Amino acid sequence: MSTSAPEKLRKFYDHFEHEDHVLIIINADPDAIASAMAVKRLLWRKVSNITISNINIIKRPDNAAMVKLLKVGMVYIEDVKREKYNKFVTVDSQPGHNEAFADFKFDVVIDHHPKTCDKIPFSDIRPHYGATASIMTEYLRAAKIKPSATLATGLFYGIKTDTGGFEAKAQTVDIKALQFLFQYVNLHISRKIQQSELRLDFLKYFKSAIEDMRMRRGRAFIHLGHVPTPDICVLVADFFMRVNPVKWSIVSGHCKDKLIIILRNDGLRKNAGKAAKESFGKFGPAGGHKSAARAEIPCSHIDSLFEMNDCKATVTWLVDVIENSSGKKSNDSEET
Ligand SMILES: [Mn+2]
């Protein structure tokens, strides 16, 4: 029989004392940030002090907006004086997920990914939850804590992000958490975070994408040249899916020594993951879901095939590879 929420809360609290200095270490994304905020709130006035530390540098503008608008104080892991702490917590991750976690002996792990850790004094792993923030909401409710607007908004945004805006794997438990949080959420802040996905310096990639895109049989092909982060390819690929005749968008960019290729489609009788594997699998890791996929090809595997600094040549290569592997008789071959 599963343990009740008040029982879990009590066991969680059993691992902390008033003298404790607690470090919550996260791989910062909306769900992890919100879950860390919830742990901090649960431990408020119960321990001596609590610091949230991120092991990753926050680059995504929406994540940066979340940290700023919700006033989440975080210290980058390399700036943490770890000898100051005696208790270590992670949420939305498990110790094996990242090398940066290896230096710590965790007392508490709360997560919704498949279980990969053992011998943790307190672990609460629930893979059937869409978000760790949903688990944390149950802890807050069990503790009879009324969340502040910032905490509720963070948890709300974390659940929303991890469940793909409720289009993906949202479970009853996630919906229940949202129902509870909704009465405390600041929707303006939530919307502002969500709408902060673009940085000013990203706009030039949209400009060149619009100018240089090649449209073939409902497929938009775009090569962005060098990009500072693969996220730009994702943003551009998603953007082109909003254009009416586009059924597929295939967007590539050079990042470090890889050619990143993002595939999106409208999901109607199409399979992006399969297309990615069949087209690009021979060059490097490739795969994904029905409507979203990516390939990450080491440049050394393809630099003899075409001139990679030439955007036109790269697009021609993308078109060739996709069209040759999917065949000309695919069911979405309407001329545009
Ligand atoms: Mn998560």
Side-chain angles (χ1 to χ4, degrees):
M1 215 179 79
S2 66
T3 328
S4 70
E7 182 70 8
K8 276 202 176 116
L9 177 73
R10 197 185 55 71
K11 286 187 174 156
F12 166 82
Y13 276 142
D14 278 350
H15 291 269
F16 296 96
E17 287 159 39
H18 274 289
E19 299 71 39
D20 282 341
H21 297 258
V22 180
L23 187 64
I24 307 169
I25 308 162
I26 56 168
N27 193 348
D29 71 6
D31 190 26
I33 295 168
S35 300
M37 289 170 77
V39 171
K40 193 169 175 179
R41 178 63 187 86
L42 285 165
L43 294 178
W44 187 48
R45 288 185 174 162
K46 300 216 184 281
V47 296
S48 182
N49 70 63
I50 311 152
T51 302
I52 303 175
S53 176
N54 49 311
I55 59 167
N56 55 325
I57 294 172
I58 295 173
K59 286 194 191 135
R60 286 182 55 125
D62 46 345
N63 292 359
M66 178 177 181
V67 171
K68 199 173 151 208
L69 291 168
L70 301 182
K71 302 184 174 67
V72 189
M74 280 201 295
V75 185
Y76 183 50
I77 193 74
E78 289 180 11
D79 301 325
V80 163
K81 291 197 173 53
R82 58 186 69 185
E83 63 280 4
K84 269 178 52 188
Y85 300 92
N86 68 317
K87 290 279 164 73
F88 301 94
V89 177
T90 189
V91 282
D92 198 38
S93 270
Q94 291 170 49
H97 286 179
N98 194 296
E99 287 171 17
F101 291 129
D103 301 343
F104 299 93
K105 221 177 140 277
F106 287 98
D107 300 282
V108 170
V109 174
I110 303 174
D111 188 25
H112 71 125
H113 296 96
K115 186 164 182 166
T116 56
C117 63
D118 56 15
K119 298 196 185 104
I120 306 289
F122 179 89
S123 68
D124 184 357
I125 315 289
R126 305 187 207 175
H128 56 294
Y129 278 58
T132 305
S134 303
I135 305 175
M136 295 319 304
T137 303
E138 292 183 10
Y139 276 86
L140 292 169
R141 295 187 74 172
K144 300 199 165 48
I145 291 172
K146 181 182 151 207
S148 65
T150 46
L151 176 55
T153 306
L155 291 164
F156 177 81
Y157 190 71
I159 298 170
K160 209 170 147 181
T161 305
D162 267 28
T163 58
F166 319 123
E167 284 190 13
K169 51 173 187 170
Q171 311 287 338
T172 321
V173 284
D174 303 307
I175 307 286
K176 258 175 89 176
L178 284 165
Q179 258 171 359
F180 169 76
L181 293 168
F182 199 75
Q183 54 193 322
Y184 306 110
V185 166
N186 182 326
L187 283 175
H188 302 286
I189 295 181
S190 171
R191 201 170 300 133
K192 182 60 199 159
I193 296 170
Q194 191 169 8
Q195 288 173 345
S196 299
E197 57 178 3
L198 298 180
R199 272 178 11 203
L200 209 49
D201 61 311
F202 286 2
L203 296 182
K204 61 176 181 282
Y205 298 97
F206 283 83
K207 179 172 186 276
S208 71
I210 289 165
E211 285 171 358
D212 301 337
M213 76 148 185
R214 201 180 297 177
M215 195 63 194
R216 286 180 57 94
R217 301 150 88 226
R219 300 180 179 124
F221 291 91
I222 295 144
H223 179 62
L224 298 173
H226 284 277
V227 290
T229 151
D231 292 346
I232 292 170
C233 302
V234 174
L235 290 164
V236 170
D238 285 338
F239 172 76
F240 275 88
M241 286 313 300
R242 297 163 68 166
V243 180
N244 178 284
V246 173
K247 293 171 182 155
W248 283 87
S249 65
I250 296 116
V251 179
S252 66
H254 279 154
C255 192
K256 298 193 180 113
D257 48 2
K258 283 182 189 148
L259 183 70
I260 310 291
I261 305 164
I262 302 295
L263 293 92
R264 291 286 186 270
N265 66 41
D266 56 18
L268 303 171
R269 289 178 293 140
K270 302 177 184 69
N271 192 325
K274 201 166 151 236
K277 232 183 226 142
E278 285 174 1
S279 307
F280 302 109
K282 51 188 168 291
F283 305 109
H289 308 291
K290 271 186 89 164
S291 58
R294 74 157 67 198
E296 298 197 2
I297 304 171
C299 290
S300 58
H301 293 187
I302 45 173
D303 57 7
S304 61
L305 303 175
F306 58 95
E307 179 49 63
M308 271 193 286
N309 290 323
D310 181 341
C311 279
K312 270 196 176 148
T314 308
V315 168
T316 302
W317 179 77
L318 288 174
V319 171
D320 281 350
V321 174
I322 292 262
E323 294 192 347
N324 287 332
S325 62
S326 64
K328 304 272 190 264
K329 50 186 185 311
S330 58
N331 54 23
D332 53 311
S333 59
E334 179 188 317
E335 294 293 333
T336 49

